[in-house]
Amino acid sequence: MHLHFVGILAPALLRLEDQSLNLAIETRTLTKTYKSRSGAINVVHNLDLQVEPGEIFGFLGPNGAGKTTTIKILLGVIYQTSGEAYVLGKEAGDIEVHKQISYLPEKPYYYEHMTGMEIMQFYASLFGIKDDDKCRKLLDRVNLGNDMNRPISQYSKGMQQRVGLAQSLLNDPQILFLDEPTGGLDPIAHIEIRDLILQFRDEGKTVFISSHELSDVERICDRVAIINKGEIVAQGRLEDLLVGGRIEVTANNCTDEVAASLRGEDTLVSINHGRMIVDLPDSLSPNEVVLKIQTAGGEIVSVIPRRKRLEDLFLEAVGKDNKAKGRQLKSMVGSTEEAAS
Amino acid sequence: MNAVVAIAKTTVGEAIRRKVLLIILLIGALLLAIAPALEALSPRQEMTVLRALTLGVIQMTSAVIAVVLTVYMIPNEIERRTIYTILSKPVRRWQFLVGKYLGAVSALGLMMALMTLVMLFVFLITRKVDGVSELAAIAKVPFAFFVQMSLLAAVAVFFSTFVSPIVNFFLSGGVYLVGTLFDSFFKTLSESKDVPQALKGVAIVIHLLVPNFQSFNVQNAAVNPGQGIQGEGIMYLNLALYAFTYIAILLIGGIIVFENREV
Ligand SMILES: Nc1ncnc2c1ncn2[C@@H]1O[C@H](COP(=O)(O)OP(=O)(O)OP(=O)(O)O)[C@@H](O)[C@H]1O
Ligand SMILES: [Mg+2]
C-alpha cells in the first residue's frame, strides 16, 4: 500500500514516508507558542526529535523547559503552532496510533472512588478490552495484587503511580510516554519503577521518559535529548554525549624525568615529593602511563576513571545561558542524589 | 460505544459522591418532607398549594443540581489531568463529551427519582392524594422536569466547553430563567407591532435561541385536580422531541468547540 502511495506522489513524500515510518517518534521544527499579556512565548521552539523504536529515550530539561508540552502535543491533546509531530509514522493524535501507545502523566490523578481494579477495568474498556484476568495480572506485576480492591483514595502516592503504570500497560503498547514516573517516590518505589522500565525495553517497547532524576536516566536511557527554554541543547546516544571523561593515575616513588615524559597536550601531571598524579583524557590508554611509571621504578597507587556524568552534561548544556541557575541546579541535583542513595 | 458507556458510568459514580450535590439533594428532600407541615399557612386550598409547592421544590432542586453537576464536569477533568489519560487512549473527543453528558443526565435522573419517591411517600403517609390515579398524575410531572433538566444540562455542557465554571453557572442559570420566566415576554415582544425594529430583532433572536423551558412546566393539571390535559401523550412526545433536538444541537456545538480547543 505504501509503495503504491509513494509511487504516485512526489519525492518529498518519499522522504517523509521512509523516515517517519522507521522512527517511533519524530518531530520537525515543532513549535508551540502561547500568547500572554507580555506577548507571545515559544514554549517549544523548532524542536527536532528522533526516537528509534525499542529504545529508552530520556527527555530532560529544567522546570518549564517544555517537556510536558511536547508530550501533550505528541499525544494530540494540545496542538502545535507550527512544525510536525509524528508518532509511529502517523501524525500526532491519530486515533489508530492511540491503540498502540500509552501515557502516564506527571502527578496523575485517578477517580478516587474507584478501586485499583475498577480503575483498570475502566481504562481497559476505553480500549474495548474486557479481561479481568489481564487487569489482575498487571496489578500483580506492579505489586498491587493485595490492594486491588481498596479505593484509590487510600493509596499512597507510590501506589497511585504504580496503578498508573499498570493501566499504561493494558494495551501492550509499543510506545510508553512517561512524564516524571518517579517524581515524589521513595527510593525503593523508585528502584521498582526503574526496574519495570528496564523490563519494558526487554519486551521491545519504546519508552519516552521525561525525568529530573539524572542518575536514573543515566542508568537506563539509550539516548537523551536535553531541552532548555523549548530548544534542544543536546541530543544523542549517552555514550557519545558523555565522552570526555578522565582517568587519574596516582603513583609513589616517581622521578621528575618520568613526570616530564608523561606531560602532554591534554595530560596534566603534578608531582610532589615523589607522589605523582597524572590526569589524562579517557581517549588515551592508561596502560602506557602505568608501564612507564613502573619501568622507572615508580609504584602505582591507583587508577581511577572519572566518567563524565549526565549531571555535568546537563549543567554544561543548560547552564550555558544561565550560570547562576546552573549552580543552583547543581546543589539541587546533589541533594536529590543524596536523598535517593 | 464502549468508551462512551464507560465514561458515563464513572461520571455517575463521581457525581453521586459529590458532597455539594448530596447536600443540595438532602435540602430538597428535607423541604419535601416538611412541606405538609406548611399546610397551616393556607388552610383553604391546602391540596393545591401543597402539590404546587412540592413539585416546585423538586424542580428548583433539580435545576440547581443540573447546573452544579455540569459546570465543573469538564474543567475538573482538565484540572485533575484525568482527561489526558482518557484522550491518550483510542477515545475521540466527541465520545468523551457525550459520555460525560450521558453520565450527568443519568446521575440527575437518579437524584430526581429519589426526590420523586420521597414526594410520593410523603403524599401517601399524609394522605394528601385521593387514590392511585391522582398519585400517578403527580408522579408524571417529574418526567417532564427530567426532560427539562436534561436540556438545561446540555446548555451547561455546551457552555462548559469554552467558559469558566462560575461564568457558566450564571450563563446557564440565566438561560434557564429567561427560558422559563421571560419566554412569553420575549415572544410577545417579538410579535408586537409597536416596538422599534431593533428591539424586536433582539427579542426574536432571544426567543429563537433560548429553549422554551416554560413548556415543560406541566404541573398545572396535576396541581389542580379535575384539569385534565387534552392529548397528554402527544404533548409529552412533543416535549421530548423538542428537547432532544435542542440537546443534539447543543452537544454538536459543544463537540465542535471541544474538538478544536486545547485541553
Ligand atoms: N496553557 C498554557 N498557557 C500558557 N503557558 C503555558 C501553558 N502550559 C504551559 N505553559 C508554559 O510552558 C512552559 C513549559 O511548560 P511545561 O509544562 O511543558 O514544562 P516542563 O518542561 O514539563 O516542566 P516541569 O519539569 O516543571 O514539569 C512553562 O513556562 C509554562 O508556564
Ligand atoms: Mg512537566
Side-chain angles (χ1 to χ4, degrees):
Chain A
M1 199 221 127
H2 287 306
L3 286 177
H4 181 63
F5 190 49
V6 171
I8 294 171
L9 291 166
L13 263 177
L14 192 83
R15 198 182 81 86
L16 185 152
E17 283 281 300
D18 60 23
Q19 272 203 2
S20 304
L21 277 180
N22 294 333
L23 290 167
I25 301 166
E26 186 186 17
T27 69
R28 289 193 215 136
T29 61
L30 188 71
T31 300
K32 175 72 186 174
T33 312
Y34 279 119
K35 287 186 197 74
S36 74
R37 239 166 261 150
S38 54
I41 346 165
N42 285 330
V43 168
V44 173
H45 191 223
N46 283 342
L47 205 69
D48 289 313
L49 285 178
Q50 283 104 30
V51 180
E52 309 271 347
E55 72 181 1
I56 302 186
F57 189 89
F59 194 42
L60 317 176
N63 292 124
K67 302 181 296 295
T68 302
T69 306
T70 307
I71 294 179
K72 284 183 186 167
I73 294 173
L74 289 170
L75 295 168
V77 290
I78 63 174
Y79 308 118
Q80 67 262 44
T81 312
S82 65
E84 296 148 68
Y86 300 97
V87 178
L88 291 171
K90 297 238 175 69
E91 245 171 85
D94 188 289
I95 219 87
E96 286 306 308
V97 168
H98 281 193
K99 290 180 184 162
Q100 300 164 51
I101 64 171
S102 71
Y103 170 49
L104 180 63
E106 58 181 332
K107 302 188 228 88
Y109 172 94
Y110 301 97
Y111 299 112
E112 293 215 318
H113 67 275
M114 296 165 107
T115 65
M117 185 64 183
E118 283 166 350
I119 286 284
M120 293 296 281
Q121 288 164 331
F122 168 62
Y123 284 110
S125 63
L126 297 184
F127 286 108
I129 299 171
K130 242 183 137 62
D131 188 346
D132 287 356
D133 221 39
K134 182 170 198 170
C135 297
R136 224 168 281 132
K137 274 194 193 124
L138 286 174
L139 285 170
D140 272 337
R141 182 166 173 192
V142 296
N143 281 331
L144 285 175
N146 295 325
D147 301 290
M148 63 183 178
N149 292 320
R150 282 171 62 193
I152 297 281
S153 52
Q154 297 176 8
Y155 279 22
S156 70
K157 204 189 265 177
M159 290 163 83
Q160 293 200 11
Q161 199 73 2
R162 280 183 277 150
V163 174
L165 268 181
Q167 68 81 19
S168 75
L169 293 173
L170 273 164
N171 57 331
D172 201 10
Q174 284 183 42
I175 305 183
L176 278 133
F177 290 89
L178 309 177
D179 199 349
E180 297 184 30
T182 53
L185 297 187
D186 71 47
I188 295 173
H190 195 111
I191 291 166
E192 279 174 8
I193 289 195
R194 205 173 63 199
D195 291 345
L196 272 172
I197 295 171
L198 283 173
Q199 287 173 26
F200 299 160
R201 175 171 53 193
D202 297 339
E203 292 163 15
K205 300 185 193 316
T206 309
V207 185
F208 187 87
I209 170 172
S210 141
S211 179
H212 292 298
E213 299 293 337
L214 299 181
S215 57
D216 279 354
V217 170
E218 194 169 344
R219 207 167 301 184
I220 64 175
C221 288
D222 304 300
R223 290 199 316 133
V224 299
I226 301 178
I227 68 168
N228 189 27
K229 297 184 177 155
E231 299 193 44
I232 291 195
V233 286
Q235 177 171 212
R237 300 190 63 77
L238 264 182
E239 59 214 52
D240 296 338
L241 290 173
L242 297 183
V243 291
R246 303 193 65 89
I247 299 167
E248 200 179 85
V249 182
T250 310
N252 283 337
N253 294 337
C254 295
T255 57
D256 287 351
E257 291 83 71
V258 186
S261 77
L262 289 172
R263 254 183 211 112
E265 201 176 308
D266 200 12
T267 307
L268 311 169
V269 181
S270 63
I271 183 161
N272 188 7
H273 297 301
R275 188 179 181 91
M276 179 172 69
I277 296 172
V278 186
D279 182 5
L280 68 160
D282 66 0
S283 51
L284 299 178
S285 156
N287 278 341
E288 238 170 88
V289 175
V290 169
L291 206 67
K292 266 190 187 169
I293 294 170
Q294 284 173 332
T295 38
E299 187 190 317
I300 299 293
V301 176
S302 66
V303 178
I304 301 171
R306 276 191 294 112
R307 216 156 77 78
K308 186 169 177 178
R309 304 289 307 271
L310 184 54
E311 187 189 316
D312 302 324
L313 176 71
F314 187 91
L315 291 175
E316 243 170 58
V318 170
K320 256 181 220 154
D321 63 341
N322 198 337
K323 284 256 162 58
K325 188 158 183 218
R327 232 172 285 132
Q328 197 186 330
L329 267 169
K330 182 152 195 160
S331 62
M332 261 174 55
V333 170
S335 61
T336 51
E337 236 183 23
E338 262 168 42
S341 59
Chain B
M1 214 53 219
N2 268 328
V4 175
V5 173
I7 290 166
K9 273 206 308 215
T10 54
T11 306
V12 175
E14 284 255 283
I16 58 174
R17 284 175 181 81
R18 269 186 62 192
K19 288 201 185 73
V20 215
L21 296 177
L22 292 180
I23 289 170
I24 300 169
L25 188 64
L26 201 71
I27 293 172
L30 266 177
L31 287 177
L32 290 176
I34 61 168
L38 299 176
E39 72 187 51
L41 296 178
S42 132
R44 222 163 26 95
Q45 285 186 308
E46 59 170 75
M47 299 277 259
T48 314
V49 170
L50 181 62
R51 285 173 203 185
L53 182 68
T54 320
L55 288 169
V57 166
I58 292 191
Q59 190 173 24
M60 276 321 295
T61 313
S62 311
V64 175
I65 290 178
V67 173
V68 174
L69 175 63
T70 40
V71 294
Y72 283 103
M73 208 163 58
I74 309 283
N76 264 352
E77 291 276 340
I78 295 172
E79 193 183 317
R80 297 184 310 195
R81 292 175 300 279
T82 34
I83 193 167
Y84 301 130
T85 27
I86 294 174
L87 290 184
S88 63
K89 306 267 186 273
V91 174
R92 291 175 196 277
R93 291 190 180 198
W94 72 260
Q95 293 177 309
F96 180 78
L97 203 74
V98 171
K100 279 275 144 194
Y101 173 74
L102 291 180
V105 167
S106 311
L108 188 64
L110 279 175
M111 297 185 189
M112 291 183 71
L114 198 74
M115 283 192 283
T116 306
L117 287 178
V118 171
M119 172 185 76
L120 294 179
F121 182 70
V122 169
F123 276 146
L124 269 180
I125 59 165
T126 56
R127 299 184 189 285
K128 295 294 182 202
V129 282
D130 307 326
V132 177
S133 70
E134 232 181 74
L135 204 61
I138 295 173
K140 253 185 281 183
V141 178
F143 279 100
F145 288 171
F146 174 65
V147 180
Q148 185 187 41
M149 298 313 159
S150 302
L151 177 50
L152 177 57
V155 170
V157 165
F158 170 70
F159 284 132
S160 79
T161 57
F162 59 93
V163 300
S164 71
I166 302 293
V167 175
N168 192 354
F169 184 83
F170 289 106
L171 260 180
S172 303
V175 166
Y176 182 68
L177 288 182
V178 168
T180 317
L181 303 176
F182 301 114
D183 191 70
S184 49
F185 167 71
F186 284 110
K187 185 164 189 276
T188 319
L189 203 60
S190 66
E191 284 165 357
S192 163
K193 289 194 179 76
D194 310 326
V195 292
Q197 278 302 318
L199 191 62
K200 200 168 157 172
V202 172
I204 291 175
V205 169
I206 291 180
H207 182 64
L208 284 179
L209 278 186
V210 175
N212 180 359
F213 284 105
Q214 175 58 34
S215 56
F216 296 89
N217 292 353
V218 296
Q219 55 266 57
N220 274 349
V223 167
N224 305 298
Q227 262 191 34
I229 303 177
Q230 296 271 306
E232 199 181 20
I234 301 284
M235 184 198 73
Y236 271 85
L237 192 69
N238 268 334
L239 284 180
L241 277 177
Y242 176 82
F244 188 79
T245 312
Y246 246 108
I247 290 169
I249 292 169
L250 285 164
L251 286 185
I252 290 170
I255 287 164
I256 291 171
V257 179
F258 193 55
E259 285 282 350
N260 292 298
R261 72 167 274 187
E262 312 227 304
V263 290

